[in-house]
Amino acid sequence: MVAVSLQVVSFPPARQVSVQRRIPLVRCRIAEPTGEPAPLGKKTKYVDGPLEKAFMTLFARKMEKFAASPNNGSGKKTGWLDYDYESFVDVSRRVMQGRSRLQQQQVVREVLLSMLPPGAPAQFRKLFPPTRWAAEFNAALTVPFFQWLVGPSEVIEVDVDGVKQRSGVHIKKCRYLENSGCVGMCVNMCKIPTQDFFTNEFGLPLTMIPNFEDMSCEMIYGQVPPAFEEDPLSKQPCLTDICSVSNPSSSVCPKLQP
């Protein structure tokens, strides 16, 4: 999904202040002792600051309009300080209920458009035409701005139409995938809508390649994504060990079917 986030910011110390007295702002960070995502099979612990939770709330409230009622039947409205990452993922899961693959993707598109000011896609096209510079610039922006949503990432060199450029982003272990555990949510609520949004609304091609074996992901700006039917992920089976709505008897995740 297209998102923004507050990242680590440290003000340089004044000359009369010691280096140790920097003033860090609250940010999203991994709470694991190693500072790295947890090993496969374990869920990474994060500490989210107030702004990260505000973004979660903003997205969740936008999606809540399209979501099925919670399983507990509660009609109580969630407050701004009540959302966390798990409740954000829960809303995404409820958006999937009763909707086809294309309908799920359309919901995400509407949510993303609703968060932009009028004329934003046209302005983006003017500022970032589909050039190598634009692809590399957006890759660099993705690393800090997407951390609260997908976890730590880094810019990498990729091959786009035979040209080596630093317009790739490697996500070490996707936070959205490891919390949802669902192939359908990854593809229908993140990969395809984000690809389509950048490629069709913003005019900057983007291809996302999730790896369901280690939960990493690559984003390649400047590369035109394949049609869904030609994408190997269209045949991806459920992650039966971790997905709460998986269908072990199906060779393909049911949420990927029309």
Side-chain angles (χ1 to χ4, degrees), residues 1-3 109 112 116 121 124-125 128-130 134-135 137-139 141-142 145-146 190-208 219-223 225:
M1 288 184 190
V2 180
R109 177 181 178 275
L112 294 177
L116 298 175
F124 187 98
R125 286 173 177 265
F128 303 107
F137 184 76
N138 277 271
L141 289 181
T142 295
F145 289 165
F146 274 63
C190 182
K191 170 184 161 64
I192 299 297
T194 304
Q195 287 182 166
D196 288 349
F197 201 79
F198 271 90
T199 303
N200 300 323
E201 302 293 338
F202 285 166
L204 180 63
L206 170 66
T207 297
M208 297 180 68
M219 303 175 69
I220 306 177
Y221 288 94
Q223 179 170 298

Side-chain angles (χ1 to χ4, degrees), residues 43-108:
K43 190 177 295 186
T44 306
K45 297 177 182 178
Y46 287 83
V47 174
D48 294 305
L51 276 186
E52 281 85 8
K53 290 187 177 181
F55 287 125
M56 294 173 196
T57 299
L58 182 59
F59 267 94
R61 284 196 163 187
K62 292 281 187 180
M63 292 192 297
E64 194 79 60
K65 301 175 183 178
F66 304 92
S69 300
N71 291 331
N72 58 17
S74 173
K76 183 180 178 181
K77 192 172 183 179
T78 308
W80 275 93
L81 298 179
D82 297 330
Y83 281 98
D84 55 17
Y85 200 86
E86 288 188 5
S87 57
F88 162 72
V89 171
D90 176 67
V91 174
S92 300
R93 186 176 289 110
R94 288 189 281 115
V95 167
M96 293 180 65
Q97 297 178 20
R99 285 189 171 85
S100 67
R101 170 172 56 85
L102 294 178
Q103 288 172 334
Q104 295 167 45
Q105 296 166 18
Q106 182 61 27
V107 166
V108 178

Side-chain angles (χ1 to χ4, degrees), residues 154-166:
E154 60 183 352
V155 174
I156 59 173
E157 185 178 74
V158 292
D159 186 300
V160 179
D161 297 328
V163 177
K164 296 288 187 181
Q165 56 190 53
R166 291 183 62 78

